[in-house]
Amino acid sequence: MNWLNWLGDFFSAPDHRSGPDSIVHRITEHLVLSGEALLCAALLAVPLGLLIGYTGRGVTLVTAFAGATRALPTLGLVTLAVLLAGVGDTAVLIPLVALAAPPLLVAAVEGVRGTDPDVRDAARGIGLTHPQVLWQVCLPSGAPTLLAGFRTATVQVIATATVAAYVGLGGLGRYVIDGLATRKYAVTVGGALLVVLLAVGAQLFFALLARYALPPGMRAQRRAR
């Protein structure tokens, strides 16, 4: 089978074992870029989503915004960012943040809105302020939904971060783009496989996080949903 031979050639290549084009180095670049995009998206989307979910204002707008962003072409955004900001990390971070922010925003909104109104009223009744109700009651209650949003955003960003190679940056996309350009299909197949494995690894990480890191009550709530 050709693809098995290609994978063998890819993983056995000396320059993929050490140096700037090694698999470990490319994976590290990919994870760093993805982490930066997720951090920026979380700082922008999560606080806004918590506020909108708590007040109930702008929910329809958030839903429409999240739906509209799915139609945005990632490579088109990269090209536009290159024209505006030049070649660099910013040209890739902009579309990746635009991709990650909507699921985080929606998850934050829905997580807070899913809090039992009676629980919120009880918290207010014992004297908690609105910020205290949000952080001490609504946020813990919405943690499973927010975690699901992070899982979705992480997988999407990891899969899409390959566009970094489109503007000459690193990451696993380097294998895909360079392999196609030089017709070294073993490199292309190997790079694509590593992206898939990284995305699957992210899925498993969040599944384990939801299973073991959340309190038992929240895990039961997540399963019920």
Side-chain angles (χ1 to χ4, degrees):
M1 298 177 67
N2 286 338
W3 65 274
L4 288 177
N5 294 331
W6 287 345
L7 290 178
D9 293 340
F10 173 76
F11 286 105
S12 62
D15 55 341
H16 292 162
R17 295 181 180 180
S18 62
D21 199 37
S22 68
I23 292 174
V24 172
H25 182 70
R26 292 303 186 195
I27 289 177
T28 301
E29 289 180 328
H30 204 92
L31 289 175
V32 169
L33 181 61
S34 300
E36 289 176 350
L38 287 168
L39 177 60
C40 292
L43 292 175
L44 291 171
V46 173
L48 180 61
L50 295 177
L51 180 62
I52 292 175
Y54 186 79
T55 62
R57 299 175 182 176
V59 175
T60 303
L61 182 61
V62 167
T63 303
F65 169 75
T69 55
R70 295 177 182 176
L72 293 175
T74 304
L75 283 179
L77 287 177
V78 171
T79 303
L80 180 60
V82 168
L83 293 175
L84 296 177
V87 177
D89 289 352
T90 303
V92 178
L93 284 176
I94 290 175
L96 291 182
V97 170
L99 180 70
L104 293 177
L105 181 62
V106 171
V109 171
E110 294 302 324
V112 173
R113 290 185 70 203
T115 305
D116 189 337
D118 292 337
V119 175
R120 290 177 56 168
D121 292 341
R124 289 287 295 154
I126 63 174
L128 294 184
T129 63
H130 285 296
Q132 287 174 327
V133 173
L134 175 60
W135 291 105
Q136 297 179 27
V137 178
C138 297
L139 183 58
S141 175
T145 304
L146 187 57
L147 189 62
F150 268 101
R151 181 182 62 189
T152 300
T154 300
V155 172
Q156 289 180 344
V157 167
I158 287 176
T160 312
T162 52
V163 299
Y166 180 71
V167 292
L169 300 180
L172 294 175
R174 194 76 270 150
Y175 293 137
V176 178
I177 299 297
D178 291 349
L180 289 173
T182 59
R183 296 188 179 182
K184 294 180 179 179
Y185 299 117
V187 177
T188 299
V189 172
L193 177 63
L194 288 174
V195 174
V196 171
L197 292 177
L198 207 58
V200 171
Q203 287 271 22
L204 293 176
F205 169 77
F206 280 101
L208 292 173
L209 190 63
R211 184 172 183 178
Y212 296 109
L214 292 176
M218 290 186 184
R219 294 202 296 268
Q221 180 186 16
R222 185 175 182 271
R223 287 194 295 268
R225 291 182 179 180

